[in-house]
Amino acid sequence: MEVLNRANKRVHFIFSQTGDSSFQGFSPAKREIDELSDVTEWRLHDLRRTCVSGMARLGIAPHVADKILNHQAGTISGVAAVYQRHDFLAERREALERWGAHVRRIIGNSFEINALRKVA
């Protein structure tokens, strides 16, 4: 949230090359991450898998993780899925805050400092 709060408020799209359209550069972005990290044998979808697996390890309920990933058919299925329309926004926020704290513990402040330099 700190990085997003410091982002340029005059643009419509924060995760964009120009700020005028949604992010489209997944392949170039992945190549840049590959070069910066010196890790190449991974796919963007691995980030989703890592996140949801890590959330499970942190004790976050599977139905909340499903909502975060925007899975339409998740752990709530059958009749319950038809009638269960709650969005779990508070639970998702808490889960993402816990995940963010977990990632910060792993990588420290170096990522946030570099991200803030790019946004500024």
Side-chain angles (χ1 to χ4, degrees), residues 1-118:
M1 291 305 299
E2 290 173 26
V3 171
L4 292 175
N5 286 333
R6 292 180 187 219
N8 184 346
K9 303 287 191 253
R10 294 180 299 253
V11 298
H12 296 293
F13 297 93
I14 293 173
F15 300 107
S16 167
Q17 288 86 357
T18 64
D20 296 323
S21 63
S22 62
F23 184 78
Q24 301 293 318
F26 289 100
S27 294
K30 185 188 178 303
R31 281 192 295 275
E32 184 176 351
I33 294 169
D34 288 351
E35 289 175 20
L36 291 170
S37 67
D38 202 28
V39 177
T40 59
E41 296 301 317
W42 66 284
R43 303 289 174 257
L44 288 169
H45 197 82
D46 294 336
L47 299 175
R48 291 169 59 90
R49 184 180 307 112
T50 300
C51 180
V52 78
S53 297
M55 286 182 175
R57 209 170 8 264
L58 294 173
I60 294 165
H63 66 278
V64 174
D66 281 344
K67 286 286 190 179
I68 289 168
L69 295 180
N70 200 30
H71 284 171
Q72 299 305 313
T75 55
I76 299 174
S77 60
V79 173
V82 172
Y83 292 105
Q84 175 53 272
R85 297 294 183 206
H86 182 57
D87 56 16
F88 296 98
L89 284 177
E91 294 86 351
R92 285 192 271 173
R93 180 185 186 106
E94 179 185 341
L96 289 169
E97 287 173 354
R98 287 177 62 192
W99 178 248
H102 174 70
V103 170
R104 278 191 300 280
R105 279 191 300 275
I106 294 170
I107 65 170
N109 291 327
S110 62
F111 175 78
E112 289 180 2
I113 290 167
N114 289 331
L116 288 173
R117 283 186 196 138
K118 285 187 175 185

